Amino acid sequence: RDWAFRLPALFVFLVGALYTYRLGALLFTQTVARLAVLMLLFSQHAVLSTADVRMEPFLTGFLTASVFHLLRGRDSWRDFIIGCAFLGAAVMTKGPFVVLPIIGALFAWEWRRLPPLRLVLAPVLTVLFTTPELWCLWRQFGATGLRMFFWDNQFGRFADLNGGAIPHGGYDFFFHTVLWAFAPWGFWLYAAVFAHFRERGPVRHLLGAIVPTFLMFAVSRHQLPH
C-alpha cells in the first residue's frame, strides 16, 4: 500500500531530525538544536524528498546519526561502533561517495585528536556493515553489480562516463538550487556560512562536512535540480 511504501522514509527522516537535535545540543545549545530541527522539518526539499521516498531522507537520518556517534566515539567504543554502523547504512543507500562529508568533517575537526586505532578500524567496520548489500549485489548481478555500486553509479555519473542525457548546469548550478531546496531558509544558510566561515570549533567541523560535498556536486557532470 502507498502508506507502507512511504513509512520507512518518514521514520528514517524523523531519526535524522532526532539526531539533528542531539548533534545541535552536543555542539552548541538546546536552543540552536531546536531551531535546527525546525529548519530541517520545514525545508522544501526535505518535505518533498520524504513524500516522494527519495534517497535524501535516508541519507539525512543515517549521516546525521553517524556524525553524532563518531564525534562521541573518541571516548566511547560503543558510540564509535554505532557511528560506523550508521555510516555503513548510508553507504548502502547511495554508494561510497557518502563518506566524503564524514572525511571532511573529520579533517576539519583535527583528525589527530582521534585515537589511531579508531582511524584504522573506521573504514574496516564501515565496509563490514556494508557487506549485506555487497553480498546481495554479487548474488544477483555478479561482478557487474559490484562495478555499478563502486563505479558506474558514482564515479561514472560525476564524470558523465555513461553518456547521461542530463546536461551540466554550470558550476553555479547548486548555488541557486539551494535557495529553493532549502526554502524558506536558503538566504539564512548562505548568510550563516559567510558570517562564520573563519570560526573554529563546532562550526568548522560542520563546514568541513558541508563545503567539500557542495563543491563536489558543483563540478559534477551529472546534475539534478535538487
Side-chain angles (χ1 to χ4, degrees):
R1 291 185 179 269
D2 185 69
W3 66 268
F5 169 69
R6 300 178 192 280
L7 193 60
L10 176 61
F11 173 76
V12 178
F13 178 67
L14 293 177
V15 169
L18 171 64
Y19 274 103
T20 296
Y21 177 83
R22 299 187 70 184
L23 186 61
L26 177 68
L27 296 178
F28 301 100
T29 65
Q30 288 190 348
T31 300
V32 171
R34 293 190 188 102
L35 287 172
V37 172
L38 175 69
M39 296 173 80
L40 173 64
L41 291 178
F42 291 96
S43 63
Q44 167 67 17
H45 192 260
V47 176
L48 179 65
S49 61
T50 303
D52 286 351
V53 192
R54 303 179 185 179
M55 286 295 101
E56 283 81 357
F58 296 97
L59 288 171
T60 300
F62 295 145
L63 282 177
T64 309
S66 176
V67 170
F68 173 80
H69 285 289
L70 287 176
L71 271 176
R72 304 208 321 177
R74 183 168 67 107
D75 303 310
S76 166
W77 277 104
R78 176 177 175 273
D79 280 300
F80 175 74
I81 294 173
I82 293 174
C84 291
F86 273 116
L87 183 55
V91 171
M92 284 193 285
T93 67
K94 206 64 177 174
F97 259 100
V98 303
V99 303
L100 180 63
I102 305 295
I103 294 174
L106 179 65
F107 276 86
W109 185 59
E110 300 175 3
W111 60 271
R112 293 180 183 84
R113 295 174 60 186
L114 286 177
L117 181 59
R118 284 174 169 80
L119 282 173
V120 174
L121 285 179
V124 175
L125 288 176
T126 301
V127 171
L128 178 64
F129 287 118
T130 311
T131 50
E133 178 165 354
L134 300 180
W135 181 80
C136 290
L137 289 172
W138 175 261
R139 288 293 303 269
Q140 287 184 279
F141 307 108
T144 303
L146 296 180
R147 175 185 171 84
M148 181 274 296
F149 181 80
F150 285 106
W151 182 262
D152 293 339
N153 193 42
Q154 298 294 320
F155 292 94
R157 292 175 67 182
F158 278 97
D160 198 26
L161 300 177
N162 302 320
I166 300 176
H168 181 251
Y171 297 116
D172 63 337
F173 182 75
F174 288 111
F175 283 93
H176 52 77
T177 297
V178 164
L179 294 179
W180 82 259
F182 202 53
W185 322 109
F187 288 106
W188 287 12
L189 171 64
Y190 283 132
V193 169
F194 285 118
H196 300 284
F197 191 79
R198 298 191 176 209
E199 287 188 18
R200 305 180 75 86
V203 171
R204 183 176 178 180
H205 172 81
L206 294 176
L207 289 176
I210 295 169
V211 174
T213 308
F214 189 89
L215 294 177
M216 175 186 68
F217 283 110
V219 301
S220 170
R221 301 298 303 175
H222 186 97
Q223 294 179 331
L224 293 170
H226 60 264

